[in-house]
Amino acid sequence: MSNDDIIGDPELRKPIDSYPFEIRDSLRRRYLAKGPCQPVGHEFPFTLIREKNRRFQVAWFKDYEWLEYSVSKDKTYCLYCYLFANNNRSGGNVFTEIGFNNWKDGRRAFVNHEGSPGSSHSGCRMKVEQHRNQRGNVNQLLARQTAAMEDDYRTQLSTVVSVARILLEEGLPFRGHDESTESLHRESLHRGNFLEHISWVCKQEENVNKVMGKNAPGNNQLNSPTIQRDIIECCAMETRKIILNELGEKKFALLVDEARDCSIKEQVSLVLRFVNGKGMVLEHFLGLVHVNETSAKVLKNTIDTFFAKHDLSLAKLRGQGYDGAANMSGEFNGLKTLILKENKNAHYIHCFAHQLQLVVVTASYESESVCDFFETLSMIVNTIGASCKRNDSLREIHNEKVLNQVEMGEISTGRGQNQEISLARPGDTHWGSHYTTIVRLFDMWNSVERVLLAINKLGESLKIRQSAGGVFDKMDCFQFVFIEKFMMKILGITNTLSKILQARDQNIGYALNMINVVKNKLQELREDGWDNLLKEVTEFCEGHSIDVPNMENFVHGQSRKRLKGGEPMTYLHHFRIDIFIKVIDVIAMEMDKHFTEANTELLRCVMCLDPSNFFANFDHVRLLQLVNLYSDDFSSTDIIELDHQLQNYICDMRSNEIFSNISNLGDLAKKMVEINYHTYFPLVYRLIELALILPVGTASVERTFSAMNVVKTDLRNRLGDDLLSDCLVCYFEKEIFRSIDDEVIMQSFQNLASRRNQLRPLKIRRPNPC
């Protein structure tokens, strides 16, 4: 039985009797541990009943704990009767198979369904209570568990939970290659982290050794693979529960991306972005889902199933964040469009960091000289990184240089300074790595040249020696140094923006401001940066004995450039017009092309909330227009009230010194909650929340894939999909996981299945919301 058998939407479930008898009890316990499907935040649709529009009432959830609601069919069901009733009874399957949706008579129908103490529903309710009370079942009454046995069981369970938590937090595997106690007449030395950690605890703690050591009963060790999986599932379940409880009925955005794991399985990562009760923007990972294909239809079905499983409502979705792939953002059949058909308020934002990368990539390949530079840069890194001997030689030469500079007093020493470094290998999909490579190459210039010359003289073969010599010649020229200095300035500007866009608490207003800042810096570099750049390059070349051409001379030799008219080209024209100005203009043009969201009505309206420069962008009319883009969040009465609130809001903000130094929409939201202004201007704060929900990038999703490569490795490639998702939730959301008390996990584990031993409940310390 997998987690896929536990289906949230009651309409989509198979009858409990259709499952094999041996797993029904486990299914019932898992459904009871999950609780009834009650999507509180869902926008319940109206139905015309007796000439009047009626719909399901959220208050019914509080009055009837057994009540479930199906989002897909707009009907209600009974969890207790689904789990225990005889569905073949005549007329008794309305709340188990058919579903009830006569909202006019809803409360009366629910009372009639509960019936008298002898009704079918009451019998199912009693079975639920008996099922939850494991201490009262027949097996436990026969076992006659004593208080001492319960204490021993608590010690056992507490130990295995503590060990499991350590392994989950560090992303370590549980199982070993050979877990047997005897293998070829001796105990296995590689029993896995879980069993070895328990063995270590037994050696350190005498009370643990008594109940879990060699003298413990062989059939009650609490260390089987099934027990391990149950504990992992409980840890992930409680972690998700905290995230979903903090989300509550708030609106949220969905970040989705897919990647292959080490076993060549396509995994879809789902992250929720929302504003918590303190005004903080949070992005939390809920899990991975394995898909057989990544078409938009399959991804949409995956999201629907995932939402139903965790009682999330698509109606509460207010933002979508994906990369630019056609299956995600396609105008006609993409995932974005399929969701917008169901929820017009789920506005899509193309990942800003991804767009910025496309800008830099396009600009680098528009210029032939810049393209050649990056090819040469890659050749330098590959030539030196081809063997450990060359890398070691580079480090030794550079360390020698650093020591000489320290002795001469040219550089200072201190903690974290002058660390051992090497050339970073640039990645095709991560242009921030190119910036790191360029910076390090400048820092290690002399050392790199010495290594290349050494390879040219002492290489293993003629081909290697000639290759190293050719790379050295390309590197030891004015054009290479010029483009390297130039790209370091360009990538330095864009790399800062890239890091800002990948922050977890980033918001759309600040991102748009930073994009404008980058555009202005690029324009300043174009207008005023040429002279400084040429001066820096010239000084560097003169200091390293590299020939500096006369800018007024014509380009000559095989690399001679001619204009369309056939006139020869000067070095000044080549470097300033063909490279310097052309690359900057291409970047500016591509930024305008890719960041088209900045010109959309949605983001123009959002920018009116920006608090920088004493709310200089505030526009009363456009903010009222923003309400029309979120029509489901504001009634006609709200719009009238918001009109008055905005007038008072802007007067108060501009006159209040508390808000004078705030330049970020996220900081504004936190400050408003801190001084209770979100209750003074609730409708304005609702607008601010909706603006903060809009996703800037998918960096959080990318981080989950990085964590996936830690949790699921080549040596752990048989990890199941559900187990991988649970392990990854605990590892990625480590801060929340650490806040959960062991007792919560132990009680959850106890209720997940029928246990041989019972656990006396203790007072539980509830974790604070993150």
Side-chain angles (χ1 to χ4, degrees):
M1 184 185 65
S2 68
N3 289 338
D4 293 337
D5 293 320
I6 310 301
I7 301 172
D9 194 317
E11 174 65 26
L12 306 179
R13 298 172 187 158
K14 296 189 298 183
I16 203 76
D17 293 339
S18 65
Y19 290 94
F21 181 80
E22 58 270 15
I23 70 169
R24 292 179 193 172
D25 181 73
S26 180
L27 273 172
R28 291 186 175 110
R29 293 194 182 279
R30 288 173 184 270
Y31 271 117
L32 290 175
K34 179 184 177 300
C37 179
Q38 298 183 349
V40 179
H42 180 64
E43 298 291 338
F44 299 98
F46 286 95
T47 304
L48 185 63
I49 301 177
R50 297 181 187 177
E51 299 182 354
K52 189 174 182 180
N53 283 325
R54 304 177 188 275
R55 65 177 177 177
F56 181 88
Q57 301 299 313
V58 179
W60 292 339
F61 283 146
K62 298 180 180 179
D63 298 334
Y64 307 99
E65 63 176 9
W66 49 266
L67 189 62
E68 294 192 291
Y69 177 84
S70 169
V71 174
S72 62
K73 293 295 183 182
D74 187 32
K75 293 181 179 181
T76 54
Y77 298 81
C78 175
L79 175 63
Y80 295 171
C81 293
Y82 166 74
L83 295 178
F84 292 100
N86 182 359
N87 295 330
N88 294 323
R89 285 188 54 189
S90 176
N93 60 350
V94 172
F95 282 89
T96 56
E97 294 181 355
I98 299 175
F100 176 84
N101 62 352
N102 184 5
W103 309 132
K104 180 181 183 301
D105 301 323
R107 191 173 293 276
R108 183 174 60 183
F110 300 151
V111 171
N112 291 338
H113 174 70
E114 288 183 333
S116 64
S119 67
S120 174
H121 173 83
S122 297
C124 294
R125 179 180 54 79
M126 292 179 62
K127 291 179 181 179
V128 168
E129 293 174 355
Q130 293 170 1
H131 218 63
R132 286 172 172 167
N133 180 23
Q134 295 191 36
R135 303 178 68 87
N137 66 36
V138 176
N139 292 333
Q140 295 305 318
L141 292 175
L142 293 175
R144 295 184 181 180
Q145 184 169 316
T146 65
M149 293 170 63
E150 288 191 3
D151 291 340
D152 290 345
Y153 179 63
R154 175 173 290 278
T155 300
Q156 281 183 290
L157 186 54
S158 176
T159 301
V160 296
V161 167
S162 298
V163 170
R165 293 185 68 145
I166 293 173
L167 301 180
L168 286 172
E169 288 180 13
E170 299 303 320
L172 297 173
F174 279 58
R175 305 289 302 279
H177 176 67
D178 182 5
E179 297 185 349
S180 60
T181 55
E182 291 186 2
S183 178
L184 296 178
H185 307 292
R186 66 182 179 87
E187 186 174 345
S188 172
L189 299 178
H190 303 283
R191 302 181 64 207
N193 290 322
F194 187 78
L195 295 180
E196 293 296 342
H197 275 71
I198 289 178
S199 177
W200 182 85
V201 174
C202 289
K203 293 177 181 178
Q204 305 300 317
E205 301 290 340
E206 182 63 29
N207 61 325
V208 176
N209 189 47
K210 288 180 180 179
V211 297
M212 299 196 71
K214 294 182 178 180
N215 296 327
N219 60 350
N220 192 26
Q221 294 284 325
L222 286 183
N223 58 14
S224 69
T226 302
I227 295 294
Q228 295 175 35
R229 286 193 292 269
D230 285 352
I231 292 175
I232 293 171
E233 182 179 348
C234 292
C235 290
M237 183 169 59
E238 295 300 327
T239 303
R240 291 190 184 98
K241 190 178 296 183
I242 292 179
I243 295 172
L244 295 174
N245 287 343
E246 187 169 17
L247 173 63
E249 299 182 40
K250 300 180 182 67
K251 308 297 192 301
F252 62 91
L254 177 66
L255 309 178
V256 180
D257 203 356
E258 69 271 355
R260 290 184 178 182
D261 61 23
C262 63
S263 58
I264 321 299
K265 282 186 175 182
E266 199 76 41
Q267 303 287 356
V268 175
S269 176
L270 297 103
V271 173
L272 301 186
R273 177 185 173 93
F274 60 93
V275 180
N276 70 356
K278 297 180 181 179
M280 299 171 58
V281 179
L282 302 177
E283 291 183 356
H284 284 307
F285 169 65
L286 280 188
L288 290 176
V289 181
H290 169 55
V291 293
N292 294 323
E293 58 176 299
T294 58
S295 64
K297 185 177 180 180
V298 170
L299 292 175
K300 176 61 168 58
N301 293 336
T302 299
I303 292 173
D304 288 340
T305 304
F306 189 85
F307 274 30
K309 180 178 179 180
H310 297 288
D311 294 347
L312 294 169
S313 173
L314 195 66
K316 288 293 181 181
L317 194 62
R318 291 298 179 270
Q320 306 178 63
Y322 319 126
D323 59 20
N327 62 333
M328 293 292 195
S329 59
E331 290 294 330
F332 300 103
N333 297 312
L335 176 61
K336 164 192 97 171
T337 305
L338 295 179
I339 291 179
L340 283 172
K341 287 179 181 178
E342 294 187 28
N343 182 358
K344 62 182 179 181
N345 297 313
H347 300 288
Y348 165 73
I349 302 294
H350 186 179
C351 172
F352 276 27
H354 184 260
Q355 293 183 81
L356 181 63
Q357 177 181 315
L358 294 176
V359 167
V360 178
V361 171
T362 302
S364 65
Y365 288 112
E366 280 294 317
S367 171
E368 181 181 347
S369 300
V370 175
C371 187
D372 290 341
F373 162 77
F374 279 112
E375 288 183 4
T376 303
L377 183 66
S378 179
M379 291 170 64
I380 293 171
V381 175
N382 291 336
T383 300
I384 294 180
S387 72
C388 298
K389 181 179 179 180
R390 298 174 190 175
N391 269 313
D392 291 340
S393 177
L394 178 64
R395 293 191 188 97
E396 291 175 4
I397 294 172
H398 184 67
N399 289 341
E400 181 182 342
K401 171 193 168 186
V402 171
L403 289 175
N404 291 334
Q405 289 178 322
V406 171
E407 292 175 358
M408 298 294 292
E410 297 178 7
I411 59 175
S412 60
T413 59
R415 184 175 181 180
Q417 294 182 339
N418 307 317
Q419 303 261 339
E420 183 180 274
I421 61 173
S422 61
L423 287 180
R425 185 176 297 276
D428 293 336
T429 59
H430 185 199
W431 278 79
S433 62
H434 289 76
Y435 176 69
T436 303
T437 303
I438 292 173
V439 171
R440 291 191 180 179
L441 180 57
F442 267 120
D443 190 29
M444 308 175 73
W445 186 274
N446 292 333
S447 304
V448 170
E449 283 193 329
R450 287 178 59 182
V451 173
L452 290 175
L453 288 174
I455 299 172
N456 178 243
K457 293 180 180 180
L458 306 173
E460 293 86 351
S461 65
L462 177 62
K463 183 178 179 181
I464 293 175
R465 293 194 294 270
Q466 288 179 337
S467 175
V471 172
F472 178 84
D473 291 338
K474 290 183 177 182
M475 175 181 170
D476 196 47
C477 71
F478 180 86
Q479 177 163 306
F480 184 88
V481 177
F482 175 84
I483 298 177
E484 186 174 14
K485 279 283 186 183
F486 175 49
M487 293 309 300
M488 187 168 69
K489 289 182 179 293
I490 294 290
L491 293 177
I493 295 172
T494 58
N495 190 53
T496 302
L497 175 59
S498 179
K499 290 181 178 179
I500 291 173
L501 294 177
Q502 295 179 55
R504 291 192 180 188
D505 59 348
Q506 193 50 263
N507 63 79
I508 203 80
Y510 186 59
L512 292 174
N513 281 334
M514 288 305 303
I515 289 171
N516 291 329
V517 168
V518 168
K519 289 181 179 179
N520 293 334
K521 286 185 176 180
L522 290 172
Q523 187 63 27
E524 291 176 5
L525 179 64
R526 186 185 190 278
E527 295 176 356
D528 306 320
W530 167 256
D531 292 334
N532 288 333
L533 175 62
L534 185 60
K535 180 181 177 181
E536 291 178 14
V537 174
T538 302
E539 291 177 351
F540 183 89
C541 289
E542 291 175 349
H544 292 80
S545 302
I546 298 175
D547 294 335
V548 179
N550 186 333
M551 292 293 122
E552 301 301 326
N553 291 342
F554 295 117
V555 178
H556 61 278
Q558 295 180 351
S559 61
R560 182 172 180 172
K561 306 294 182 181
R562 293 184 178 275
L563 299 176
K564 290 183 179 179
E567 295 295 328
M569 181 188 302
T570 63
Y571 282 104
L572 180 62
H573 187 282
H574 171 60
F575 288 114
R576 184 170 186 178
I577 305 300
D578 272 9
I579 298 177
F580 182 77
I581 292 179
K582 181 180 179 180
V583 169
I584 294 178
D585 287 347
V586 169
I587 290 178
M589 182 179 65
E590 289 296 320
M591 289 193 75
D592 290 336
K593 174 184 174 181
H594 284 281
F595 291 102
T596 53
E597 286 88 350
N599 300 319
T600 62
E601 182 65 21
L602 172 65
L603 296 196
R604 280 199 297 266
C605 293
V606 166
M607 284 303 296
C608 296
L609 293 167
D610 182 30
S612 59
N613 299 322
F614 295 97
F615 297 84
N617 294 323
F618 182 84
D619 189 322
H620 189 109
V621 176
R622 276 195 170 167
L623 288 177
L624 290 177
Q625 293 175 356
L626 180 61
V627 174
N628 296 327
L629 300 175
Y630 290 101
S631 55
D632 291 346
D633 296 294
F634 296 91
S635 64
S636 56
T637 306
D638 289 338
I639 296 175
I640 297 174
E641 186 178 349
L642 177 62
D643 191 5
H644 298 293
Q645 274 192 28
L646 285 171
Q647 298 176 24
N648 297 331
Y649 164 80
I650 193 60
C651 292
D652 197 340
M653 290 291 138
R654 285 173 173 169
S655 61
N656 196 329
E657 293 184 358
I658 296 177
F659 299 97
S660 60
N661 295 324
I662 292 181
S663 59
N664 187 300
L665 193 59
D667 294 337
L668 174 63
K670 287 185 280 189
K671 180 58 70 174
M672 288 183 69
V673 173
E674 182 181 331
I675 63 177
N676 213 32
Y677 262 48
H678 69 301
T679 60
Y680 301 158
F681 305 106
L683 296 177
V684 179
Y685 184 73
R686 190 183 302 174
L687 278 178
I688 294 174
E689 278 189 317
L690 292 171
L692 289 173
I693 286 171
L694 290 173
V696 174
T698 58
S700 292
V701 185
E702 300 294 340
R703 292 187 186 101
T704 64
F705 293 137
S706 298
M708 179 179 70
N709 293 330
V710 174
V711 173
K712 187 172 184 177
T713 63
D714 290 335
L715 296 179
R716 204 184 179 190
N717 60 6
R718 295 176 63 188
L719 200 63
D721 297 327
D722 293 334
L723 191 57
L724 171 62
S725 180
D726 290 341
C727 290
L728 197 55
V729 166
C730 298
Y731 178 75
F732 191 80
E733 297 293 346
K734 194 175 301 183
E735 184 176 357
I736 296 177
F737 180 43
R738 285 180 176 175
S739 69
I740 302 173
D741 196 284
D742 282 356
E743 185 67 23
V744 175
I745 298 174
M746 291 163 63
Q747 293 296 340
S748 178
F749 168 81
Q750 196 67 23
N751 296 328
L752 193 63
S754 180
R755 307 296 179 190
R756 181 192 303 268
N757 297 88
Q758 296 308 299
L759 190 69
R760 186 185 298 109
L762 295 180
K763 187 176 181 180
I764 299 175
R765 176 180 64 84
R766 295 293 178 184
N768 296 324
C770 54

